[in-house]
Amino acid sequence: MDPKLFPKKFLWGASTASHQVDGGTVNQWSVWELQNANELARSSEERLGSLLSWQDIKADAQNPNNYVSGRGVDHYNRYEEDFDLLLKLNFNSFRFSIEWSRIEPEEGVWNDEALEHYSSYIAALKKRGLEPILNLWHWTLPTWFTDKGGFEKKSNLVYFDRLVEKVAEEYGEDIKYFITLNEPNVYTSFSYFTGEWPPQLKQPLKGLKVYWNLAQAHKRAYKLLKTTHPSIKVGIAAQLSNIQAYRATDPLARLGNVVRNYFWNWWFLDRIKKHQDFVGVNYYFTNYYDGLSLLGTHNPKVPVSDLGSYMEPEGVFPLLMRVNKRYKQPIMITENGLADSRDKYRSWWIEQTLMAMQRALSQGVNVIGYLHWSLLDNFEWSYGWWPKFGLVSVDRNNGMKRSIRPSAEWYSVYLSKLLSRTPKKEVSKNHENNK
């Protein structure tokens, strides 16, 4: 690794999302969890029984409580402790999300306590020299908004406009990087195409309308933010896949990849390319396809994560090259990680990812940050609590005890050497301060 390739102001950090860690949120997701927890537990073996990790996760996956976010990991109250962990890991930045349902629990009614909480939250980051990266929408919505039809109706975008204006008014002076939307392609697919997430509809036409409206929501938000705070850097966090042909010489597969890349990776970004200051990339997957098929991958059987996803961390390199060629804008890796409860692959994944980033930097790609998903073990949507993504494990049955995983200890030392810093001694002391 050549540290000179990484810019001095490179963003080294982690990502998280309010609903997945805070606890106590009331939104369309929390309502759906309570309505579906029993069914998700009952059908778990049918859905997850083929995973190599099934025997390890079986007890949790068959427990309805696994599918309820509930208290989260109490990040809402313990955020200062968690920010200290960021420093111990040698990070300089942190991506978090604003919970719309907290700050506007009723239509047109702002919650002063919640607004003040986020002010204190951002101030605590800046006090530690950590760059706050604010994500406005990470899939959760107030129930009053979904009762009105949510993003299914273009007329409802005025409510999102109002949210953007309020957040800009409250926090705009303290935020340099602003992410409007997280993975609109994933949200639309699982909510309106496959019907696995709320509102559990299999209505592709309505899904396409939502997708279009989310693109308009971003563009409107961009204009509002740049008008009130021109110096803010605005983008989205796009879930992009490194799509490859199963047989490199197959012309049909190459043609199919053009279609697959366009609709999954590029369609949304093409719509907003004049309304973003950087491209946020969430990278988890390299997928191999055969022929013209839009469904069904031909991925290698190993290595796989606890979720059964094939892992090819170095696949971020060709993806970064394509994003750079297509958009010619700074790129921030806004999410990147794996479900790995035994902490078997995480060090390897991080090292291979950093090497791929260095390779891209050496070829002139303007990568400005790497935010690992996630700082803490989190609530993983319809999978619940059993997938473990955190650099820091959280024992929810033992006072929410935080413990830095061995891979995170390794990463902090690796990062300190890369950046010629003095390693934080606390990391190697078994995280005693957080017992």
Side-chain angles (χ1 to χ4, degrees):
M1 297 290 287
D2 183 359
K4 296 177 184 178
L5 287 170
F6 291 94
K8 289 184 178 181
K9 294 184 179 181
F10 194 85
L11 298 168
W12 298 99
S15 288
T16 191
S18 175
H19 184 74
Q20 295 179 267
V21 294
D22 277 354
T25 53
V26 180
N27 50 45
Q28 103 282 17
W29 260 101
S30 64
V31 171
W32 181 82
E33 292 162 17
L34 295 174
Q35 293 172 343
N36 291 273
N38 288 331
E39 174 57 25
L40 289 169
R42 186 201 63 78
S43 63
S44 62
E45 186 165 9
E46 178 184 347
R47 294 180 294 107
L48 307 170
S50 62
L51 295 178
L52 295 178
S53 58
W54 173 246
Q55 292 304 319
D56 294 332
I57 70 171
K58 182 177 179 179
D60 288 332
Q62 293 182 335
N63 183 350
N65 291 330
N66 171 73
Y67 302 98
V68 179
S69 56
R71 294 177 57 209
V73 293
D74 201 29
H75 177 67
Y76 192 83
N77 297 307
R78 301 176 65 159
Y79 63 87
E80 295 221 40
E81 173 187 349
D82 294 335
F83 294 167
D84 288 341
L85 292 173
L86 290 167
L87 294 180
K88 291 181 180 181
L89 295 174
N90 278 307
F91 292 161
N92 61 18
S93 56
F94 185 61
R95 174 189 165 204
F96 65 97
S97 73
I98 295 285
E99 178 58 43
W100 186 359
S101 66
R102 279 194 191 276
I103 65 174
E104 192 180 7
E106 300 176 40
E107 181 186 344
V109 178
W110 301 110
N111 183 325
D112 291 336
E113 183 278 328
L115 291 168
E116 179 57 33
H117 165 80
Y118 286 115
S119 291
S120 300
Y121 189 99
I122 293 168
L125 284 168
K126 295 180 78 69
K127 178 182 176 181
R128 291 166 172 81
L130 296 163
E131 186 73 56
I133 301 169
L134 190 154
N135 187 175
L136 185 59
W137 178 71
H138 200 120
W139 299 345
T140 56
L141 298 165
T143 55
W144 63 260
F145 183 69
T146 53
D147 288 344
K148 290 177 175 292
F151 287 113
E152 296 169 14
K153 297 181 179 180
K154 185 178 180 181
S155 59
N156 287 342
L157 295 185
V158 294
Y159 302 109
F160 191 73
D161 294 343
R162 189 173 63 193
L163 173 69
V164 174
E165 291 173 337
K166 185 64 174 178
V167 172
E169 174 189 337
E170 296 285 337
Y171 317 119
E173 295 295 332
D174 297 313
I175 300 296
K176 181 178 180 180
Y177 295 99
F178 197 112
I179 295 170
T180 57
L181 309 174
N182 180 76
E183 297 185 353
N185 53 351
V186 175
Y187 171 80
T188 305
S189 297
F190 283 89
S191 296
Y192 292 93
F193 284 75
T194 67
E196 297 172 58
W197 291 357
Q200 286 189 292
L201 299 179
K202 293 183 179 180
Q203 298 181 18
L205 290 179
K206 184 170 286 188
L208 291 173
K209 187 175 181 180
V210 169
Y211 206 33
W212 174 263
N213 287 340
L214 286 170
Q216 306 315 305
H218 168 82
K219 289 195 285 188
R220 291 162 65 142
Y222 180 88
K223 291 176 182 177
L224 287 168
L225 289 165
K226 300 300 278 189
T227 298
T228 57
H229 299 282
S231 63
I232 288 180
K233 304 298 183 184
V234 183
I236 71 163
Q239 204 287 316
L240 304 183
S241 175
N242 175 34
I243 295 172
Q244 298 287 349
Y246 177 60
R247 297 180 180 85
T249 57
D250 181 358
L252 288 179
R254 295 201 301 271
L255 177 60
N257 279 355
V258 172
V259 177
R260 286 183 283 263
N261 266 299
Y262 179 73
F263 285 105
W264 185 256
N265 287 340
W266 312 136
W267 186 91
F268 198 96
L269 288 173
D270 281 358
R271 304 280 85 72
I272 67 167
K273 61 185 178 182
K274 295 182 179 179
H275 297 83
Q276 60 180 358
D277 302 310
F278 64 92
V279 182
V281 174
N282 292 359
Y283 172 75
Y284 294 94
F285 310 111
T286 288
N287 287 317
Y288 293 84
Y289 293 89
D290 199 12
L292 295 173
S293 173
L294 295 178
L295 302 174
T297 59
H298 289 265
N299 293 339
K301 302 300 182 183
V302 292
V304 295
S305 70
D306 291 349
L307 284 167
S309 303
Y310 167 63
M311 298 185 295
E312 191 173 305
E314 64 272 24
V316 74
F317 168 73
L319 189 61
L320 289 172
M321 297 298 291
R322 293 184 201 125
V323 172
N324 179 67
K325 181 178 180 180
R326 194 174 186 97
Y327 300 108
K328 297 178 174 60
Q329 291 178 314
I331 301 170
M332 185 190 303
I333 298 179
T334 41
E335 284 184 30
N336 175 266
L338 67 161
D340 184 16
S341 61
R342 297 185 179 183
D343 208 31
K344 181 179 179 180
Y345 295 107
R346 194 170 282 107
S347 299
W348 162 76
W349 174 280
I350 293 171
E351 185 172 43
Q352 292 295 307
T353 301
L354 266 57
M355 290 174 69
M357 287 162 46
Q358 178 185 247
R359 187 178 172 197
L361 285 162
S362 74
Q363 297 199 29
V365 179
N366 186 14
V367 185
I368 61 173
Y370 172 70
L371 308 177
H372 190 83
W373 184 275
S374 175
L375 175 64
L376 305 165
D377 284 341
N378 56 266
F379 181 75
E380 191 58 27
W381 308 106
S382 60
Y383 290 110
W385 286 107
W386 65 260
K388 305 300 183 186
F389 279 87
L391 292 166
V392 177
S393 69
V394 182
D395 188 345
R396 299 180 70 248
N397 297 317
N398 186 18
M400 302 291 182
K401 176 183 174 183
R402 273 81 163 138
S403 300
I404 295 175
R405 286 196 162 96
S407 60
E409 294 187 10
W410 169 87
Y411 182 30
S412 83
V413 174
Y414 188 90
L415 194 55
S416 69
K417 291 178 179 178
L418 178 65
L419 303 177
S420 300
R421 295 176 180 169
T422 301
K424 301 291 192 296
K425 293 181 180 180
E426 295 89 342
V427 174
S428 63
K429 291 184 178 179
N430 198 28
H431 194 37
E432 292 183 20
N433 291 337
N434 291 290
K435 285 185 178 179

